[in-house]
Amino acid sequence: MLKIAWRKEYAHPLPENHRFPMEKYELLPGQLLYEGTVSESNFFSPELLSEEDILAIHKEEYWQKLKNLSLSRKEERRTGFPLSAALVERERIINQGTIDAANYALEFGVAMNIAGGTHHAFTDRGEGFCLLNDIAIAAHYLLKNSKAKKVLVVDLDVHQGNGTAEIFQDNPNVFTFSMHGKGNYPMHKETSDLDIELEDKTDDKTYLNILKETLPKLIDEQEPDFIFFQSGVDVLATDKLGRLGMSIAGCKERDKVVFELCYKNEIPVVASMGGGYSEKIAHIIEAHANTYRLAQDIYF
């Protein structure tokens, strides 16, 4: 069964006209249920992530600032969210969701987190709507508990996975691959194990050709026994923060390439949602929903 991490806390209240589309965390599960892609039994509710798992990745000083709500105004602005106890609790729930999804993926081949993909969270700070790095925390959990020996991060959000790159820069057991907009945020890029930078307005054909040429080789070379897929849909031409030129159909084909490679190679995969900032919320939901439809179709 396709297991999906979700709790109502994912849809955290934000100030009016905030640019982050928090409503997608209610609309997406609702859409998947409405169309019959999944049923209530597919969803599970993660609990709070432990401090031990947080401190395995993030620095004590940063975590204490988060926990005690003592980030400076500049540090808070950098995250993009107003800091509150409820927000920190939400982040801990989402991050535990990715760990739980990883365990389900070991059992069923694939699992999903309705949120997550928080790849701009560094060891010592949050940025870009990311406070704790769920992919890094879950990857460390798998390695520490001997549930994986080599992890591949496939980050296909339009923005570079800069925090993930920084966290794992000296870890040979995690290979970070980020394919992202060259001229987009973050202006200062970190160095992933493999970075592919895309020009503005890159179309479906160009994007998919690069991915189909790169990812199979990477899997053959690295021989990962677990993959984390950051499946941000901000690659769409309609995205306000994206600058690429992809269609919803092209984005769906992207996800299909990833899932079919994981399925064929029998590598468990967890997909975390990542970004999506199209003007019309329907475009965001449709593109995200395709990721779930494909996982359901390919694996079950």
Side-chain angles (χ1 to χ4, degrees), residues 145-184:
N145 291 287
S146 302
K147 293 176 181 245
K149 293 189 179 73
K150 183 65 178 278
V151 172
L152 172 61
V153 178
V154 178
D155 191 330
L156 301 185
D157 193 275
V158 80
H159 305 109
Q160 191 209 33
N162 55 345
T164 315
E166 179 260 341
I167 288 166
F168 290 125
Q169 60 190 343
D170 297 318
N171 190 331
N173 300 312
V174 179
F175 189 99
T176 53
F177 164 43
S178 181
M179 186 162 149
H180 52 264
K182 180 179 180 180
N184 211 318

Side-chain angles (χ1 to χ4, degrees), residues 2-17:
L2 181 63
K3 300 299 285 185
I4 303 168
W6 182 78
R7 266 175 62 164
K8 61 178 175 46
E9 287 88 348
Y10 280 24
H12 178 75
L14 288 173
E16 200 173 340
N17 299 321

